[in-house]
Amino acid sequence: MRPWIIIVLAFIGLLVVVGKPSTSVHTNQPVVDQPIAVHTAVVSEPSLETAMFDFFRTHPDPEVRDDLPGLIRSLQVRTNWSPNGVSAAFVRHLDRKTGQVHSVISMDPKLVRGQDARSQLVIYHEYQHYLQWRDKTIPEETFLDVPWPDKDLTGICEQKWYAEREAYQKECEFGRRYGLLDGLDERTALASVCAASEEEFIPTLKRILPLGDPSAKVCAQAWETL
């Protein structure tokens, strides 16, 4: 065979080998994209104490904002977390171990974490009870933990009515002044009380109070005579 023919045949064979597509898999390359691990930091909620003082710091009433935190820090007013359906309550609590009586504001934790219009109104209301006790406009026994002595029940219920009527009147006025009533759910008891006309305010309050206040249930019958 002539030499030039051999060279041509060899060149054609080389083209066939080089041009043939590869069927091998490159194991050092991913077949599919792998998910990228993302590490996210877990942010915990602030403590209830921190949330409470943050709540007071932004309260629209200057006395609640400035006075109440100092009272709590100095233990002139104690706090108690009470997630039992009662939003908040101011009481004078007898410590049976020491015989001392302390001012206590019990609060549902949701109250200070919410920081909404209702929370601001409720705390303002309980602060009014503290002022009633501090200024002695309402007798101290009115704020003592229930049960109350049967022999004193009529007088205590009468004073409790005066205390609640004044606190709700001031709470509703406060809500109107700062535009907080617009932020209330219309179906709530507080919204109903504050929306009542002057003639309907007292009947509405007498009807609604016993529904959510355990101590008011004790006095519901006595209030009918007032």
Side-chain angles (χ1 to χ4, degrees), residues 2-224:
R2 296 178 181 180
W4 63 268
I5 294 177
I6 295 173
I7 294 172
V8 170
L9 290 176
F11 181 72
I12 293 173
L14 181 63
L15 288 176
V16 171
V17 173
V18 172
K20 185 178 181 181
S22 172
T23 57
S24 64
V25 176
H26 299 286
T27 56
N28 62 333
Q29 296 292 329
V31 179
V32 294
D33 291 337
Q34 298 298 319
I36 299 174
V38 178
H39 299 284
T40 56
V42 177
V43 180
S44 59
E45 283 190 309
S47 68
L48 282 175
E49 182 176 339
T50 299
M52 176 182 66
F53 286 116
D54 286 344
F55 170 78
F56 291 144
R57 194 176 299 116
T58 59
H59 199 280
D61 180 69
E63 284 192 285
V64 172
R65 187 172 62 243
D66 300 332
D67 187 32
L68 193 51
L71 292 170
I72 292 172
R73 287 191 175 98
S74 64
L75 298 181
Q76 294 180 65
V77 173
R78 312 293 178 96
T79 56
N80 177 49
W81 301 109
S82 177
N84 58 0
V86 177
S87 294
F90 171 79
V91 297
R92 292 284 291 165
H93 174 70
L94 172 63
D95 186 333
R96 300 189 182 281
K97 292 182 179 179
T98 64
Q100 294 181 318
V101 181
H102 303 290
S103 293
V104 179
I105 291 184
S106 295
M107 294 175 283
D108 188 319
K110 295 177 183 177
L111 203 67
V112 296
R113 291 203 188 280
Q115 299 198 19
D116 53 14
R118 178 177 171 275
S119 299
Q120 292 171 335
L121 286 160
V122 168
I123 290 298
Y124 180 85
H125 178 108
E126 299 308 324
Y127 183 69
Q128 299 313 303
H129 287 319
Y130 164 77
L131 295 178
Q132 291 167 344
W133 166 77
R134 186 197 68 183
D135 298 339
K136 297 181 171 54
T137 59
I138 299 292
E140 180 175 37
E141 57 265 24
T142 308
F143 302 106
L144 291 173
D145 290 343
V146 292
W148 298 306
D150 289 339
K151 63 183 179 64
D152 299 330
L153 186 59
T154 301
I156 290 175
C157 283
E158 183 176 351
Q159 292 299 321
K160 179 173 175 61
W161 167 250
Y162 296 146
E164 292 296 348
R165 185 183 66 184
E166 180 185 50
Y168 271 98
Q169 286 173 333
K170 290 187 174 182
E171 181 180 13
C172 293
E173 290 170 3
F174 166 71
R176 281 188 283 271
R177 184 163 66 251
Y178 286 94
L180 297 176
L181 299 184
D182 294 338
L184 295 178
D185 186 331
E186 295 179 355
R187 297 167 294 180
T188 62
L190 179 57
S192 298
V193 170
C194 291
S197 64
E198 187 175 348
E199 295 77 15
E200 289 298 318
F201 178 80
I202 287 178
T204 302
L205 189 58
K206 285 183 178 180
R207 183 180 72 253
I208 285 178
L209 264 178
L211 300 178
D213 184 344
S215 61
K217 293 178 183 179
V218 177
C219 293
Q221 188 173 354
W223 288 350
E224 294 301 321

